[in-house]
Amino acid sequence: MPSEMKTDMERIGLFSEPTYITIGDKYTSPYNRNFSAADSKNKQMLPGGSKVRSALQEGYFDSQFKRIFEKEAYSDPVKQRRQFKMQQSKKNIGKPFLPSNGEKKPSGTGSYYGTFSAPIEAMSALQVPKTPYKSPGKNVLTNPPKHGTGYGYHNLTLSKPYPYTADPYDREKQMRKTDNSSKRNLLKGGAFFLNLHPKDLFDSNPYKFDKPLPPLKKSGGKKPAVVPFKPSSPPKKIGGMKAGTFEVYPSHSADPFTVKITKASAKNKEGRVFQPSPGPKSRPVKSVVIANIMK
């Protein structure tokens, strides 16, 4: 049986076994592989542990503290700045520049002492000649307002009262009538109709029949006389008698007691009474809760 079974390559469906990505070297487990081969050979560097810094030199690599600038001299920046100014002053050709006298302070408000320009005329205290004052005149004088409610009183407004004009009742109708008649007189002809009005068909109506129709054929049979329907008189109310019924109250007749004879039931050829088939019968049905429990 094992020889008859197919191999994995045949069951996969490949034509040949795929090659492996390797150069033929032996497999080594990643857990047993060293990170660096040089770490496991010869002697290794063993540090002596970290040192705690203190006020001594033991916490540093060097045994003696080394300065950044060795044997540098003390320098005074103020002195160096003064020396630089003295060297620059030697380059001047003539005497040093001496400014003019100090600024002059004014003696008070409105004085021009110490300024570059003379007094300004626009700011002088002299009076400028002005045109004599001319009175604009009196204001408009009006009459005092007239008292009144304004309804039914005349001559209370600024304008004159409106004159009375007649207003006929059919004035709009008469104006409309005269306007229409004047426009109708200006017309020269009838209404304009365009010949290119769209039509349903290219030609005239094919179903139009100009010839007179033949006379109608009379049927030979006589129609039955139709009696028009006449509704009955309005219904009458029953007042303890038969006045509201369709028929007249029947007359009394003797009705002795007699045994009523029942009609014989219909039977088929075999002599059996016809009985209709019974309808569907009900049956017990399980509820949804019981059906879920059974599942």
Side-chain angles (χ1 to χ4, degrees), residues 25-26 28 36 44 85 167 203 206 211 246:
D25 52 350
K26 295 181 180 181
T28 55
S36 179
Q44 305 299 324
K85 287 183 178 181
D167 188 11
D203 301 331
K211 296 181 181 180
F246 291 98

Side-chain angles (χ1 to χ4, degrees), residues 8 12 37 60 66 68-69 79-80 102 113 116 122 127 140 162 187 206 214-215 219 258 285:
D8 295 341
I12 291 174
Y60 300 93
K66 295 181 179 180
I68 300 176
F69 297 99
K79 184 179 180 181
Q80 292 180 358
Y113 178 75
F116 291 97
Q127 293 184 356
V140 179
Y162 294 101
L187 298 177
S219 58
T258 55
V285 180

Side-chain angles (χ1 to χ4, degrees), residues 5 25-26 60 72 129 138 148 195 198 277:
M5 294 177 63
D25 52 350
K26 295 181 180 181
Y60 300 93
E72 70 275 11
K138 295 182 180 181
N195 294 331
S277 60

Side-chain angles (χ1 to χ4, degrees), residues 32-52:
N32 299 331
R33 187 181 302 170
N34 296 329
F35 179 75
S36 179
D39 295 345
S40 60
K41 298 179 180 179
N42 302 327
K43 294 181 179 182
Q44 305 299 324
M45 181 179 66
L46 300 177
S50 59
K51 296 180 180 180
V52 181

Side-chain angles (χ1 to χ4, degrees), residues 95-161:
K95 296 180 179 180
F97 172 75
L98 296 176
S100 61
N101 298 332
E103 59 182 4
K104 299 178 182 179
K105 296 181 180 181
S107 58
T109 57
S111 65
Y112 294 92
Y113 178 75
T115 57
F116 291 97
S117 60
I120 302 174
E121 296 180 358
M123 295 296 180
S124 63
L126 299 176
Q127 293 184 356
V128 180
K130 298 181 181 179
T131 56
Y133 175 76
K134 185 178 180 181
S135 177
K138 295 182 180 181
N139 294 329
V140 179
L141 299 178
T142 59
N143 295 330
K146 298 178 181 181
H147 299 284
T149 59
Y151 179 78
Y153 292 87
H154 296 282
N155 300 327
L156 296 181
T157 58
L158 298 177
S159 59
K160 295 181 179 180

Side-chain angles (χ1 to χ4, degrees), residues 91-254:
K91 298 179 180 180
N92 295 334
I93 300 174
K95 296 180 179 180
F97 172 75
L98 296 176
S100 61
N101 298 332
E103 59 182 4
K104 299 178 182 179
K105 296 181 180 181
S107 58
T109 57
S111 65
Y112 294 92
Y113 178 75
T115 57
F116 291 97
S117 60
I120 302 174
E121 296 180 358
M123 295 296 180
S124 63
L126 299 176
Q127 293 184 356
V128 180
K130 298 181 181 179
T131 56
Y133 175 76
K134 185 178 180 181
S135 177
K138 295 182 180 181
N139 294 329
V140 179
L141 299 178
T142 59
N143 295 330
K146 298 178 181 181
H147 299 284
T149 59
Y151 179 78
Y153 292 87
H154 296 282
N155 300 327
L156 296 181
T157 58
L158 298 177
S159 59
K160 295 181 179 180
Y162 294 101
Y164 174 76
T165 55
D167 188 11
Y169 179 76
D170 295 337
R171 184 182 179 186
E172 294 183 1
K173 184 177 179 181
Q174 294 295 335
M175 292 175 64
R176 195 183 307 110
K177 186 176 180 180
T178 54
D179 189 15
N180 293 337
S181 61
S182 62
K183 289 183 179 179
R184 194 178 296 107
N185 295 330
L186 295 175
L187 298 177
K188 296 182 179 180
F192 175 74
F193 294 98
L194 188 65
N195 294 331
L196 300 177
H197 183 73
K199 299 180 180 180
D200 296 337
L201 303 173
F202 291 101
D203 301 331
S204 60
N205 188 1
Y207 300 100
K208 187 176 181 181
F209 190 73
D210 298 333
K211 296 181 181 180
L213 297 175
L216 298 176
K217 295 181 180 179
K218 299 182 179 180
S219 58
K222 294 183 179 180
K223 295 183 180 180
V226 179
V227 180
F229 172 76
K230 294 182 179 181
S232 61
S233 58
K236 301 176 181 180
K237 297 182 180 180
I238 300 176
M241 56 181 179
K242 299 295 182 178
T245 58
F246 291 98
E247 298 178 356
V248 187
Y249 188 83
S251 61
H252 178 72
S253 60

